């Protein structure tokens, strides 16, 4: 049995198709063909909206799903981080597991096929093994500012990595696993150098330039992060003042052909973009700018300069971040915010970010992200209000 779908518009993962095209799949959603309405024959299901391949959520913290409505919005990043650290542990194991299960189901129902998930714990493993149909890329996150603890931190991260590597996933595959830095301000120089060695040729992720204070820290040794360090008991700065922005300070530590997902980029300026393009050329790294606009509005009430980044044709992917800083884990909601704040950017840029770019960044472009014969990429309907639902 075949299914035949048409809609107001069809986006194939890369571009809009011309009008009156029909997507033909088998009952499981395996793509058979894209053809014209004249050749498709009878029984075409017409959907009101845009048909898209399954979506990719390039940045989520599934293990923080129990933190919905726990942290107040617009506190700024440092206050936000202190609240996450102090509150994340005060929930029962059952509440944490139930929230993970619900968040996973919510993501799947909206058409998310693959996700890049930040893991500080093994809390999400049970759901990923037993019920999740999403293809996960697990980023085991390292926070390490004290070099005397470096070996312990990396031994723990390696043990967690092995758990995720040896898991028996319900989706039958993973997109991969790697150890990654949390953020420029939470990993020491030696930590970065060790991460570079561990991740040669692999895909990593980092929370990048999430606020201006992050640049102030590296450029001048000033700003909000000094409060955080004081609270954590540091007498002197645990990072080096480089007189450069955050991105320009740590990125040169990575020269192993990594695929790097730069998350947030709220305080990324023109000089950073130019530096990134030059560095990509010199070192053969592959950067992806991950946009999480709803989390940016929740935490900092500020958005990245997406028009600037787009003018340099840097590739975007899209993430929801976690329930600690978002009201939903919906790629459609993120695209709605992007379309509202950047009406001059063609919607196809954001749809590509959420489909083929996301699949590429996760390393699953050989099976997801586009309507290609033989693929089973998921079939998603996006309505006028940008909400999405899984059709297959
Ligand atoms: Zn995050």
């Amino acid at each position: 049995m075949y299914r035949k779908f048409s809609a107001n518009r069809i986006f194939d993962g890369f571009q809009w198709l011309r009008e009156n095209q029909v997507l033909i799949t088998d009952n499981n959603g395996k793509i058979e063909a894209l053809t014209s309405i004249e050749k498709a024959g009878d029984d075409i299901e017409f959907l009101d909206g845009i048909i898209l391949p399954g979506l990719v959520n390039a940045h989520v913290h599934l293990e923080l799903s129990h933190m919905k409505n726990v942290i107040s919005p617009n506190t700024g990043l440092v206050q936000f981080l202190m609240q996450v650290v102090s509150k994340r542990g005060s929930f029962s194991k059952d509440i944490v597991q139930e929230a993970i299960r619900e968040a996973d189901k919510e993501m799947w129902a909206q058409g998310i096929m693959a996700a890049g998930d930040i893991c500080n714990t093994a809390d999400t493993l049970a759901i990923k093994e037993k019920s999740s149909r999403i293809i996960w890329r697990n980023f085991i996150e390292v926070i390490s500012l004290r070099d005397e603890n470096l070996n312990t931190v990396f031994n723990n991260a390696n043990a967690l990595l092995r758990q995720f590597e040896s898991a028996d996933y319900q989706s039958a595959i993973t997109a991969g696993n790697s150890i990654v830095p949390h953020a420029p301000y939470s990993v020491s120089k030696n930590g970065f150098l060790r991460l570079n060695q561990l991740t040669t040729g692999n895909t990593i992720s980092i929370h990048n330039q999430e606020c201006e204070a992050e640049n102030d820290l590296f450029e001048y040794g000033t700003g909000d992060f000094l409060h955080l360090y004081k609270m954590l008991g540091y007498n002197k700065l645990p990072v080096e003042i480089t007189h450069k922005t955050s991105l320009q300070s740590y990125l040169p530590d990575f020269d192993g052909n990594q695929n790097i997902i730069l998350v947030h980029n709220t305080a990324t300026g023109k000089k950073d973009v130019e530096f990134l393009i030059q560095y990509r050329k010199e070192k053969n790294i592959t950067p992806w700018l991950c946009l999480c606009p709803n989390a940016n509005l929740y935490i900092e009430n500020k958005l990245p300069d997406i028009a600037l980044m787009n003018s340099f044709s840097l590739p975007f992917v899209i993430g929801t971040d976690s329930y600690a800083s978002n009201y939903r884990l919906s790629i459609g909601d993120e695209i709605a915010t992007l379309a509202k704040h950047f009406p001059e950017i063609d919607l196809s840029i954001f749809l590509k970010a959420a489909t083929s770019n996301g699949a590429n960044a996760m390393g699953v472009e050989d099976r997801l992200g586009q309507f290609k014969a033989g693929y089973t990429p998921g079939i998603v309907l996006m309505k006028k209000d940008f909400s999405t639902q899984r059709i297959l």
Side-chain angles (χ1 to χ4, degrees):
M1 269 295 283
Y2 291 122
R3 305 257 321 247
K4 300 172 185 174
F5 301 103
S6 193
N8 305 73
R9 296 179 98 180
I10 300 179
F11 184 81
D12 71 356
F14 297 96
Q15 60 200 357
W16 297 109
L17 297 185
R18 57 179 189 277
E19 277 180 26
N20 295 325
Q21 297 292 294
V22 177
L23 180 68
I24 303 179
T25 77
D26 72 7
N27 268 339
N28 298 319
K30 187 165 132 192
I31 309 296
E32 299 286 338
L34 270 162
T35 189
S36 66
I37 209 156
E38 293 82 22
K39 291 184 184 155
D42 298 333
D43 302 325
I44 298 168
E45 301 170 53
F46 189 86
L47 304 172
D48 188 18
I50 301 167
I51 295 180
L52 296 168
L55 304 166
V56 176
N57 184 351
H59 182 74
V60 62
H61 305 239
L62 194 65
E63 66 188 16
L64 295 180
S65 296
H66 60 289
M67 298 200 70
K68 193 175 186 175
N69 298 322
V70 170
I71 297 175
S72 34
N74 303 149
T75 61
L77 182 62
V78 170
Q79 280 298 326
F80 173 82
L81 290 170
M82 293 203 268
Q83 288 198 61
V84 173
V85 170
S86 67
K87 292 180 179 170
R88 70 175 290 178
S90 54
F91 294 82
S92 76
K93 208 169 172 252
D94 286 351
I95 287 177
V96 170
Q97 288 302 308
E98 190 48 33
I100 291 170
R101 193 186 335 270
E102 285 302 316
D104 172 70
K105 273 207 297 206
E106 176 197 353
M107 284 170 62
W108 177 260
Q110 289 171 44
I112 291 171
M113 293 296 288
D117 189 28
I118 304 293
C119 309
N120 295 98
T121 68
D123 288 351
T124 57
L125 251 186
I127 305 296
K128 287 172 181 171
E129 286 195 305
K130 285 191 196 118
S131 59
S132 180
R133 288 184 277 175
I134 292 170
I135 296 175
W136 296 96
R137 176 172 268 281
N138 302 301
F139 295 117
I140 313 302
E141 196 171 74
V142 159
I143 294 175
S144 179
L145 282 169
R146 296 182 204 270
D147 283 344
E148 61 272 27
N149 297 341
L150 202 62
N151 286 335
T152 311
V153 168
F154 276 85
N155 286 343
N156 292 342
N158 261 312
L160 192 55
L161 177 73
R162 280 195 294 274
Q163 274 186 277
F164 279 96
E165 278 177 342
S166 58
D168 189 8
Y169 292 90
Q170 182 65 28
S171 63
I173 55 166
T174 52
N177 307 281
S178 49
I179 298 182
V180 306
H182 163 253
Y185 53 81
S186 58
V187 175
S188 68
K189 177 88 178 164
N190 284 327
F192 275 115
L193 294 176
R194 193 175 299 194
L195 282 162
N196 183 41
Q197 289 173 352
L198 283 175
T199 59
T200 299
N202 208 337
T203 298
I204 59 170
S205 132
I206 182 167
H207 294 88
N208 176 62
Q209 295 176 300
E210 199 171 344
C211 60
E212 278 301 341
E214 192 181 309
N215 288 328
D216 293 342
L217 174 66
F218 288 92
E219 288 191 77
Y220 315 112
T222 60
D224 242 11
F225 281 96
L226 303 194
H227 301 299
L228 182 69
Y229 292 148
K230 200 172 170 195
M231 188 191 89
L232 295 171
Y234 291 93
N235 300 322
K236 65 180 192 58
L237 268 192
V239 298
E240 198 186 324
I241 301 170
T242 58
H243 306 292
K244 293 175 182 167
T245 64
S246 165
L247 177 74
Q248 296 181 46
S249 300
Y250 73 83
L251 196 64
D253 294 334
F254 290 101
D255 60 2
N257 301 325
Q258 286 91 347
N259 221 8
I260 303 185
I261 299 170
L262 300 169
V263 183
H264 293 307
N265 316 303
T266 325
T268 302
K270 186 162 181 248
K271 288 257 156 56
D272 294 314
V273 169
E274 286 167 348
F275 167 80
L276 188 58
I277 287 170
Q278 184 62 28
Y279 194 74
R280 172 172 71 176
K281 218 185 289 170
E282 281 169 19
K283 296 290 180 183
N284 198 29
I285 59 147
T286 308
W288 300 91
L289 297 177
C290 183
L291 308 176
C292 306
N294 288 338
N296 300 147
L297 292 176
Y298 192 107
I299 299 171
E300 292 281 329
N301 200 18
K302 183 175 182 278
L303 289 172
D305 194 344
I306 293 167
L308 166 80
M309 295 163 194
N310 189 48
S311 73
F312 282 86
S313 300
L314 279 166
F316 297 122
V317 293
I318 298 177
T320 58
D321 217 342
S322 77
Y323 262 131
S325 60
N326 210 334
Y327 301 101
R328 291 185 68 204
L329 303 183
S330 160
I331 294 297
D333 278 11
E334 303 299 323
I335 292 176
T337 300
L338 292 167
K340 180 179 155 195
H341 289 270
F342 300 94
E344 72 280 17
I345 298 179
D346 193 272
L347 181 61
S348 64
I349 296 284
F350 300 132
L351 298 182
K352 188 179 176 205
T355 55
S356 61
N357 278 2
N360 234 310
M362 294 294 117
V364 289
E365 70 278 12
D366 58 346
R367 61 181 74 221
L368 297 180
Q370 56 178 297
F371 289 141
K372 184 176 177 183
Y375 279 33
T376 307
I379 314 288
V380 173
L381 175 66
M382 177 177 269
K383 305 226 181 92
K384 255 204 197 88
D385 62 359
F386 300 100
S387 65
T388 63
Q389 72 183 74
R390 178 181 294 277
I391 304 297
L392 275 175

